[in-house]
């Protein structure tokens, strides 16, 4: 955050509660399949059923939650979503039957669907319009830091545990409890006066999902969201660690170091980049994200070409450069995407637009890992990094088309 434009105590409180909630998620999410399938002894069908129930419920809840957020306000929907997350994770803690596991998955899915259909409006209402870009960058960092710290804490708690099942039950209970401050924070930050000046592009109050997608800039923005998840965020989580370990013989310790460096770089770069990003047009900032990812994957390619025979400092330096440059791309994306979504949807349809963005993200996160695994299985290390760079280039092309199309949209008056 810049000192020039403080975002206020309501935003700080909201981010503090969100940090606790994502930290709770980090305690559990790497272990859910193992917990259900092996530790509870319910088998692969129950574990798969949990994720299918969660995905189906999240999809349906997002579609319903968008119009609800537009009609009744995002804070009410956000409270319901956070409460459903708490109930779903709390249900999984004592679970011992498949039916309870499936009910938990459905409840968690409803929570995520409602929460992500409302969180954009909630964050926007907590900050002045001039602080939008910084606010959404900070929100992105909070999500990453919370998940990372939670995962590390869970690993330490489970290390050498005599009863891992009992420990995980406690972690799921902690995850449920961690969502409760978010319920309270969303209720607290709800503004008493939600009136804002109307935007020039604001659609009618009964705008549908189809109406939003008929507007070419919005359709391209939603497509860009899916592509950014496919070629960027899921690849650094799923594909890059495999490329490093399996194809480049990088030790697990250094794989962990690269992932950690990416998280720390997000925190370090945000205050350094904030003022520069605020001076860029939002569509330019959005397009800069995949450009930086191409450069980041290029650093990975350089490390692969350097091979084992070169000085380790060069190879490891290129891998750290990958982590830092990729983080810079994440910040340019997060500072631009949601402000554009808000501006082009208008307040009367921000819930629906948020739901579309959430669905596009879910589509991307479901599609990206299998594509990444295909790349690892069929390409060498150099081919894999080149394929990742090419994918980021496709996202860059879509973002560039969005920039050109947006140039024809008149800016809001006033």
């Amino acid at each position: 955050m810049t000192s020039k434009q403080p975002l206020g105590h309501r935003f700080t409180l909201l981010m503090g509660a969100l940090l606790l909630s994502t930290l709770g998620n980090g305690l559990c999410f790497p272990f859910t399949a193992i917990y259900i399938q092996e530790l509870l002894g319910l088998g692969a069908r129950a574990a798969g059923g949990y994720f299918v129930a969660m995905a189906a419920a999240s999809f349906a809840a997002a579609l319903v939650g968008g119009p609800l957020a537009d009609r009744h306000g995002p804070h009410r929907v956000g409270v319901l979503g956070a409460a459903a997350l708490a109930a779903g994770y709390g249900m999984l803690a004592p679970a011992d039957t498949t039916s309870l596991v499936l009910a938990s998955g459905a409840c968690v899915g409803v929570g995520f669907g409602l929460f992500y259909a409302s969180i954009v409006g909630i964050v926007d209402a907590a900050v002045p319009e001039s602080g939008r870009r910084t606010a959404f960058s900070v929100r992105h960092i909070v999500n990453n830091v919370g998940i990372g710290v939670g995962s590390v804490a869970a690993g330490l708690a489970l290390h050498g545990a005599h009863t891992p099942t009992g420990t995980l039950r406690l972690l799921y209970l902690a995850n449920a409890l961690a969502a409760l401050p978010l319920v309270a924070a969303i209720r607290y930050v709800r503004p008493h006066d939600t009136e804002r000046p109307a935007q020039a592009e604001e659609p009618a109050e009964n705008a549908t999902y189809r109406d939003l997608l008929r507007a070419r800039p919005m359709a391209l923005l939603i497509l860009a969201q899916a592509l950014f998840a496919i070629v960027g965020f899921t690849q650094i989580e799923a594909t890059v660690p495999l490329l490093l370990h399996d194809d480049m013989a990088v030790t697990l310790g250094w794989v962990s170091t690269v992932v950690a460096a990416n998280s720390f770089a997000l925190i370090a770069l945000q205050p350094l980049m904030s003022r520069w990003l605020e001076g860029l047009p939002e569509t330019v900032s959005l397009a800069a994200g995949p450009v930086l990812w191409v450069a980041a994957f290029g650093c990975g390619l350089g490390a692969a070409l350097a091979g084992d025979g070169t000085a380790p400092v060069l190879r490891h330096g290129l891998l750290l450069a990958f982590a830092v440059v990729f983080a810079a791309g994440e910040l340019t994306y997060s500072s631009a995407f949601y402000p554009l979504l808000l501006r082009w949807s208008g307040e009367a349809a921000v819930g629906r637009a948020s739901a579309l963005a959430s669905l596009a993200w879910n589509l991307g996160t479901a599609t990206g890992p299998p594509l990444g695994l295909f790349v690892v299985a069929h390409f060498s290390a150099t081919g894999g990094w080149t394929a990742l760079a090419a994918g980021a280039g496709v996202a860059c092309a879509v973002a560039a088309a969005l920039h050109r199309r947006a140039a024809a949209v008149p800016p809001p008056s006033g």
Side-chain angles (χ1 to χ4, degrees), residues 9-300:
H9 74 280
R10 291 195 305 160
F11 177 77
T12 302
L13 177 65
L14 182 63
M15 289 299 102
L18 183 61
L19 179 63
L20 282 176
S21 179
T22 55
L23 193 152
N25 292 340
L27 291 174
C28 302
F29 93 93
F31 310 110
T32 298
I34 297 171
Y35 173 67
I36 296 171
Q37 180 175 333
E38 297 179 11
L39 299 181
L40 297 183
L42 297 177
R45 281 192 173 184
Y50 173 88
F51 290 105
V52 169
M54 183 171 66
S58 178
F59 183 90
L63 287 178
V64 173
L68 284 177
D70 291 334
R71 191 175 303 118
H72 301 293
H75 295 80
R76 292 181 180 178
V77 176
V79 164
L80 290 175
L85 288 173
Y89 287 121
M91 212 182 297
L92 196 57
D96 55 5
T97 63
T98 299
S99 59
L100 194 55
V101 165
L102 295 180
S104 169
C107 194
V108 170
V110 168
F112 278 124
L114 294 178
F115 182 74
Y116 286 112
S118 60
I119 187 60
V120 176
I122 292 169
V123 172
D124 184 50
V127 298
E129 187 172 343
S130 59
R132 278 178 177 173
R133 298 184 68 171
T134 299
F136 285 107
S137 293
V138 171
R139 181 206 161 203
H140 179 75
I141 294 169
V142 164
N143 282 336
N144 281 270
V145 170
I147 291 291
V149 172
S151 298
V152 171
L156 293 173
L158 290 167
H159 181 68
H162 296 296
T163 55
T165 304
T167 301
L168 274 170
R169 289 189 190 279
L170 290 175
L171 292 181
Y172 280 105
L173 180 60
N175 191 5
L177 294 175
L180 296 179
L182 188 58
V183 174
I186 293 172
R187 287 181 59 86
Y188 178 79
V189 303
R190 182 176 57 190
H192 297 294
D193 180 11
T194 58
E195 294 296 322
R196 287 193 176 189
Q199 303 288 340
E201 302 119 301
E202 189 167 356
E205 202 167 313
N206 61 350
T208 64
Y209 288 114
R210 182 178 297 180
D211 293 331
L212 287 171
L213 292 175
R214 279 176 178 164
R216 186 61 61 86
M218 179 62 75
L220 285 171
L221 188 64
I222 298 302
L223 174 61
Q225 173 82 326
L227 281 174
F228 289 172
I230 292 170
V231 307
F233 292 99
T234 59
Q235 300 312 320
I236 193 172
E237 295 171 358
T239 307
V240 168
L242 285 175
L243 269 180
L244 294 177
H245 184 259
D246 295 356
D247 292 347
M248 296 173 62
V250 174
T251 65
L252 288 176
W254 258 97
V255 172
S256 177
T257 299
V258 170
V259 173
N262 174 256
S263 296
F264 286 125
L266 284 170
I267 300 171
L269 290 175
Q270 196 279 328
L272 298 176
M273 294 179 63
S274 178
R275 189 165 299 178
W276 174 69
L277 288 174
E278 289 172 3
L280 283 179
E282 289 160 346
T283 52
V284 173
S285 180
L286 192 73
V291 170
L292 287 167
W293 289 346
V294 170
F297 292 136
C299 292

